Amino acid sequence: MPLYSKQSLKIYNSLTGEKEIFSPVHEGNIGMYVCGPTVYSNVHLGNLRTFMSFDVIFRYLLHLEYKVRYVRNITDVGHIVDDVDEGEDKIAKKARIEQLEPMEVVQRYTVDFHEILKAFNFLPPSIEPTATGHIIEQIEIIKKIIANGIGYESNGSVYFDVKKYNETKHYGILSGRNIEDMLANTRDLDGQSDKKNPQDFALWKKAEPQHIMRWPSPWSDGFPGWHLECTAMSTKYLGNHFDIHGGGMDLKFPHHECEIAQNEACTGQTPVNYWMHANMLTLNGKKMSKSTGNNILPGEILSGKNTILSKPFSAAVTRFFMLQAHYRSILDFSDDAILAAEKGYKRLMEALTILPNLATNSTTSLNIAAWKQNCYDAMNDDFNTPILIAHLFEGVRFINLLNENKETISTNDLIDFTKTMQVFILDILGLNEEKSSDNTISKLEGMISMLIGMRNQARADKNFALSDQIRDQLIALGIQLKDGKEGTTFSIQ
């Protein structure tokens, strides 16, 4: 019997605004699509948080023994500046500024994206399609939408007729908007006259003479609309109706709204059962922005080359920091917050190293089965990682008591407890141990031993002021000394 049949998973569905019991389209199999990056710049920290949220979701679904097809795309064409239908493609603009071919820009930042995700211990998706690799599929979808009377050609471009669609469907069902509000808030843009209505969005854009990225189509040499790309790639690999579609909160409108409309207009089917959206990340209480300097890239956290943080932090600590908040809540990133997370992460990982050395008894003082189910219940409640982490720290407290011989555990319970701690920390949360080179560790231990020797000499000379100074300064660096019968030992907090 697969593990998923023993657990009741609930997912918050952005479409209904409620937590719903998860039931896949096909039993035991899950199709999940997540909107990937537009590769015209380095992946930013907010994007990293979104992808990390879905990495944990992917990991948990795999742990529950579902067969998961996880599709996360690469947007390498068609994403217009400011996410409107008029303007310059972000990749083409970057290529023009840096005097590169657009695909050089795509390659550079796709490599950066993969390197960053690997550093942060992400599992790769099952399929990672590119928008440029699916131009034919996009053209075929446009043909069907036109044939169904919901799309129209105008001066070589093709637009989605929102008012026509809204006669039988609800454009705005995901974001809770209506056409009247959209009409009132629509800006006048160059080229707007090509549309029947201001709220219509592009399915295909005719390329201007200077536009580099272009493909032939029945309507013009041009390029696809941004929204259409995800519709083509998600349905090709997951079918016209699949389980989960995810992305950042900022994609709910217009991107995901347009995806729903396009799929309905093309196939007549509701595309997705569960829409999931990760919330935003702020920096020092403010929106992250390159223009104001209130911005930090993931690589800058690892290197320490930034003006925001007091020191470098590992990918594992940064990951732990992000998972301390629920994926649907706003999370503020700051030096104080990640310093606190670093201490918590070290406590968690140190407890794992103690586990193999614990002694066993005939009885167990903690109800391991109930604690274990609490861990599952947290993840079953819309992937609530902060509650899970709280239960894991209950486990840490129990480990420390066992290590001090203040609690007892049976052999069988220790095996189950150890496996549960390891699975949730390493496999599901995706936290791994920070790695230091043997040479670095040896040098650090040698330096601390030298300071312990200096402190011992100071105590022998009754120079207690120097002795206390050495101890206190080591504590400030997170190095705790412990005096015992066998001499002085240390631990790094």
Side-chain angles (χ1 to χ4, degrees):
M1 182 179 291
L3 187 55
Y4 63 76
S5 64
K6 303 174 185 177
Q7 303 294 333
S8 180
L9 173 62
K10 286 187 176 182
I11 295 177
Y12 181 86
N13 191 346
S14 297
L15 192 63
T16 62
E18 295 179 355
K19 289 181 188 176
E20 300 175 4
I21 295 175
F22 177 68
S23 178
V25 175
H26 304 288
E27 185 178 351
N29 294 270
I30 295 174
M32 181 170 75
Y33 184 88
V34 173
C35 293
T38 302
V39 282
Y40 71 100
S41 65
N42 300 101
V43 61
H44 65 72
L45 202 58
N47 286 146
L48 185 73
R49 186 199 180 191
T50 294
F51 299 135
M52 188 178 294
S53 298
F54 287 99
D55 180 63
V56 171
I57 289 166
F58 180 38
R59 286 169 174 273
Y60 187 61
L61 296 175
L62 289 174
H63 173 71
L64 292 180
E65 299 179 34
Y66 282 108
K67 183 178 180 181
V68 186
R69 178 176 288 175
Y70 174 23
V71 182
R72 187 187 65 217
N73 75 295
I74 296 288
T75 295
D76 55 355
V77 65
H79 194 159
I80 304 299
V81 177
D82 296 328
D83 303 338
V84 296
D85 286 336
E86 307 301 325
E88 190 171 7
D89 182 289
K90 289 182 177 181
I91 292 164
K93 181 179 180 180
K94 187 79 168 185
R96 177 176 55 78
I97 292 170
E98 298 194 9
Q99 296 185 314
L100 298 170
E101 281 290 331
M103 284 301 142
E104 285 184 89
V105 174
V106 166
Q107 179 69 9
R108 174 187 297 176
Y109 294 112
T110 300
V111 169
D112 170 75
F113 175 66
H114 288 150
E115 287 179 347
I116 288 295
L117 264 56
K118 184 178 180 181
F120 282 84
N121 197 32
F122 282 52
L123 296 179
S126 314
I127 302 172
E128 191 175 55
T130 63
T132 55
H134 296 77
I135 300 294
I136 293 172
E137 289 84 352
Q138 293 173 73
I139 289 173
E140 290 304 308
I141 290 173
I142 295 171
K143 288 179 180 178
K144 290 178 183 177
I145 293 174
I146 292 174
N148 291 338
I150 311 296
Y152 60 91
E153 187 268 339
S154 177
N155 294 326
S157 294
V158 182
Y159 295 96
F160 188 96
D161 193 334
V162 170
K163 287 187 77 174
K164 181 71 174 177
Y165 172 81
N166 215 54
E167 290 175 5
T168 56
K169 303 290 184 179
H170 177 197
Y171 181 75
I173 190 171
L174 181 64
S175 58
R177 304 186 185 205
N178 59 62
I179 286 183
E180 290 73 22
D181 291 339
M182 289 183 237
L183 281 168
N185 292 310
T186 300
R187 293 175 293 173
D188 289 329
L189 299 166
D190 292 338
Q192 193 86 305
S193 59
D194 286 347
K195 302 180 183 182
K196 288 182 180 179
N197 305 292
Q199 70 274 19
D200 295 350
F201 57 89
L203 299 172
W204 185 265
K205 287 293 295 179
K206 180 181 178 180
E208 297 300 322
Q210 71 275 14
H211 199 96
I212 306 171
M213 302 181 81
R214 58 174 67 214
W215 290 263
S217 80
W219 313 284
S220 65
D221 278 5
F223 54 94
W226 169 41
H227 313 304
L228 187 66
E229 297 167 2
C230 285
T231 295
M233 289 182 281
S234 63
T235 55
K236 175 168 183 173
Y237 298 108
L238 300 176
N240 293 333
H241 184 65
F242 56 94
D243 298 295
I244 297 171
H245 193 313
M249 196 75 76
D250 57 318
L251 297 181
K252 186 182 288 188
F253 185 90
H255 187 51
H256 291 162
E257 200 73 75
C258 293
E259 281 193 63
I260 292 173
Q262 289 166 162
N263 204 295
E264 291 262 10
C266 179
T267 68
Q269 295 186 47
T270 301
V272 178
N273 280 353
Y274 305 88
W275 285 90
M276 301 181 68
H277 293 94
N279 216 325
M280 65 184 293
L281 187 71
T282 58
L283 180 59
N284 290 323
K286 299 177 182 177
K287 183 178 178 180
M288 281 194 282
S289 169
K290 290 182 183 177
S291 60
T292 64
N294 193 51
N295 185 63
I296 187 169
L297 295 173
E300 293 171 340
I301 297 173
L302 306 183
S303 68
K305 294 178 181 178
N306 62 80
T307 59
I308 306 292
L309 303 176
S310 58
K311 65 171 190 172
F313 291 91
S314 70
V317 167
T318 309
R319 186 179 178 104
F320 177 72
F321 162 76
M322 291 189 178
L323 297 179
Q324 286 181 304
H326 190 266
Y327 77 90
R328 285 192 290 112
S329 65
I330 295 174
L331 174 62
D332 187 55
F333 185 83
S334 69
D335 191 54
D336 287 344
I338 196 167
L339 279 168
E342 185 176 50
K343 292 178 181 178
Y345 167 81
K346 288 181 176 178
R347 281 180 56 211
L348 200 60
M349 303 312 289
E350 187 177 339
L352 281 187
T353 64
I354 294 172
L355 269 171
N357 303 315
L358 294 176
T360 58
N361 197 289
S362 58
T363 60
T364 303
S365 52
L366 175 71
N367 187 331
I368 300 298
W371 169 83
K372 180 178 177 179
Q373 188 57 49
N374 286 340
C375 292
Y376 278 104
D377 288 346
M379 288 301 288
N380 291 337
D381 184 18
D382 192 34
F383 311 99
N384 200 323
T385 55
I387 298 299
L388 169 63
I389 289 171
H391 290 308
L392 293 175
F393 274 112
E394 288 179 27
V396 170
R397 179 178 173 274
F398 184 57
I399 288 169
N400 290 332
L401 290 173
L402 289 170
N403 194 41
E404 295 167 6
N405 297 317
K406 294 179 180 178
E407 296 282 7
T408 58
I409 192 168
S410 68
T411 301
N412 288 339
D413 278 346
L414 180 59
I415 293 170
D416 190 28
F417 178 64
T418 300
K419 182 180 178 182
T420 302
M421 286 289 289
Q422 291 173 339
V423 162
F424 277 97
I425 294 171
L426 304 177
D427 296 345
I428 295 172
L429 294 181
L431 300 173
N432 51 13
E433 295 186 55
E434 297 173 296
K435 293 181 174 60
S436 299
S437 69
D438 292 340
N439 188 40
T440 301
I441 293 170
S442 177
K443 287 180 179 178
L444 177 62
E445 289 176 345
M447 189 175 296
I448 295 171
S449 295
M450 179 184 71
L451 290 169
I452 289 173
M454 290 172 62
R455 177 172 174 265
N456 289 340
Q457 185 61 50
R459 293 169 75 186
D461 295 340
K462 300 190 183 311
N463 188 349
F464 298 114
L466 177 58
S467 169
D468 291 346
Q469 183 183 6
I470 293 171
R471 180 200 62 202
D472 293 343
Q473 288 185 352
L474 285 172
I475 289 173
L477 293 170
I479 300 166
Q480 180 76 49
L481 300 184
K482 186 175 182 180
D483 297 317
K485 293 179 180 178
E486 305 299 321
T488 303
T489 58
F490 70 89
S491 61
I492 300 175
Q493 304 301 313

